[in-house]
Amino acid sequence: MSALSDLLRLDIASARKGLADKQFTARELTEAYLAAADDARALNGFITETPDQALADADAADARLLAGNATAMTGMPIAQKDLFCTEGIRTTAASKILGDFTPPYESTVSGKLKADGAVLLGKANLDEFAMGSANITSAFGPVTNPWTPEGAAAPLTPGGSSGGSAALVAAGAAIAATGTDTGGSIRQPAALCGVVGLKPTYGRCSRWGVVAFASSLDQPGPITRSVRDAAIMLGSMAGHDPKDSTSASAAPVDFEAALAGGVKSMRVGVPREYRADGMPAEIDALWQEGIEMAKAAGAEIVDVSLPMTKMALPAYYIVALAEASSNLARYDGVRYCAREDGNDLTEMYSNTRGTGFGEEVRRRILIGTYVLSAGYYDAYYKQAQKVRTLIANDFNAAFNDVDVLLTPTTPSAAFAAGDVDDPVAMYMNDIFTVPASMAGLPGMSVPAGLSAEGLPLGLQIIGKPFDEASVLQMGQAIEDAAGFDKTPRLLAGAKS
Amino acid sequence: MSLDRDTVADIARLARINVADGELDSLAGELSQILNWVEQLNSVDTKGVEPLVGVGTAMAPLRQDVVNDGGQADAVVSNAPDAVGPYFGVPKVIE
């Protein structure tokens, strides 16, 4: 292995040490990523690459390292999901309807990473408006999973919606990436790509400047190569923001320091309803292994019940799609780039939105519009919100007795786009991640093993509100015990 | 609940999304499938349950009612397809 590929395999924690010990400079680290960018281009992980910005950021990081005021993120070459507005850099949400929208402002979260000295490699591909579980709805083409097995009939999807972010981190094309999670969009692609994905508590990270999908559910978080990296990166991203009235004023936490807490005598709940609907044997086996790992690390396993589990997914699709139909009303051909002319204002709106939105987004807006329309509001939307209360109550009751919950992240390993042929079947991918989203809880996926076909599988740890610390501690225990060190077939820099 | 093509056309009009005539039937099928699936929620007894509007902060935070931003008309219209000075241009709405 050459020096170049060595640099590309480091996680944030090791790269931080290398920079501090002057083993290499931020410029060298960034140049290694830029030199290997070609290798990963077939994944279509980036919508926009920003190599000039990256080099400028790297030089600024080196100056900062020299001056002695570096942070843990200084010099780290990352990708930003193209849902975060970046000042002066095109932001697409993977939709045609935004055209060449170039934000005159920076989202709070991307701005915090920038202020901490992170290096921007580019804007990562995603499902259009973060709506999807396979990264096949992007107007800029699908993303390929770097784990696609040799001889497979078709490439596998990386999951979604943060599919570009997860694929890039897994393939050695970015040291870490931001994602956003509405119903599983960080955790599910992280699981299918064999990396760590952390959805923080709703309100932990500011949503300001993040293109909105469902405002009561959306939450930014990190996708990384290790649990420690997730703790480090979340530390940079989190914090109260006066510009987002739903961002929490919770006191800042040193998430990385919290890792030292360990899991001895931690009470780990195993929700029995997650097993209900014909769980595939290999997912069940992985779950059992995870339970044994937690036990071996000194945790106590507790059987818990979340009776509303089965209702979380349909309730989610009403709440999320209702909010989406409202949020996406702003794409009207007036304020953002794309416009299709019409004979009058209404026709211009309809033409712009008719050609600008992709099929899945259109489907979701129409459902959202329907469930909010006169005569149906109470039957659909209000009922879904009441079920949401019951889901949250389930979790509250469980957390009276346990510190974290342990579940599989996904019902299967990565799949090919053609394997899932109708919308409802695709929605089932989020069956294990959506309940925590509905309750606003933190959840993290940690790679824990391989499927029979040699594809990565993840375990999910769910925590109490604002207790990311316990989630990270249990995640660290799983990571240590699983010792997941497999790499995908497509790996940037592998040939050099 | 099964939607027919007229209902889909009506929803599309409400959402201001132009849908081609030829797509109405297939869209009606797809949307009906999703609605039939979410209807299992009706089996849940929610009598006396308050709807959950959002998680987290129980009360929206208040701030002083003062101007704290502004004077950025150029930035605001910088991405508009038809900016006329500091204004958004739209097709004529008065006959």
Side-chain angles (χ1 to χ4, degrees), chain A residues 263-280:
Chain A
V263 299
K264 211 155 183 59
S265 30
M266 191 181 273
R267 289 174 67 81
V268 181
V270 176
R272 67 181 84 114
E273 288 81 4
Y274 273 57
R275 187 166 280 118
D277 284 353
M279 175 182 282

Side-chain angles (χ1 to χ4, degrees), chain A residues 271-421:
Chain A
R272 67 181 84 114
E273 288 81 4
Y274 273 57
R275 187 166 280 118
D277 284 353
M279 175 182 282
E282 68 182 359
I283 300 294
D284 201 359
L286 179 86
W287 196 9
Q288 286 310 317
E289 284 167 32
I291 290 168
E292 294 308 319
M293 291 176 204
K295 262 192 216 163
E300 207 176 314
I301 304 298
V302 184
D303 173 64
V304 299
S305 173
L306 301 170
M308 277 294 138
T309 297
K310 192 167 176 267
M311 293 298 159
L313 206 52
Y316 167 84
Y317 271 92
I318 291 182
V319 170
L321 273 43
E323 292 183 16
S325 76
S326 307
N327 271 326
L328 272 61
R330 76 191 67 180
Y331 304 104
D332 56 3
V334 175
R335 286 165 286 173
Y336 306 95
C337 297
R339 171 184 284 189
E340 287 291 325
D341 288 325
N343 289 320
D344 55 23
L345 188 60
T346 307
E347 207 179 286
M348 185 277 283
Y349 290 153
S350 299
N351 289 345
T352 299
R353 292 164 63 79
T355 52
F357 291 131
E359 275 181 35
E360 178 62 20
V361 172
R362 179 175 73 172
R363 214 163 18 232
R364 293 191 186 203
I365 293 174
L366 293 176
I367 293 276
T369 304
Y370 182 69
V371 301
L372 289 178
S373 64
Y376 297 101
Y377 180 91
D378 282 357
Y380 288 108
Y381 188 59
K382 210 160 192 184
Q383 176 71 358
Q385 285 185 315
K386 288 178 177 175
V387 172
R388 193 175 178 186
T389 299
L390 297 175
I391 294 164
N393 291 349
D394 278 0
F395 279 108
N396 285 339
F399 281 128
N400 278 331
D401 193 29
V402 299
D403 301 303
V404 294
L405 299 168
L406 179 66
T407 79
T409 309
T410 59
S412 76
F415 49 90
D419 291 351
V420 182
D421 50 7

Side-chain angles (χ1 to χ4, degrees), chain A residues 14 68 88 97 107 163 177 199 222 225 267 291 303 321 344 387 416 459 477 483 490:
Chain A
S14 330
I97 208 161
S107 84
K199 181 200 96 80
R225 292 181 187 156
R267 289 174 67 81
I291 290 168
D303 173 64
L321 273 43
D344 55 23
V387 172
L459 286 171
L490 194 152

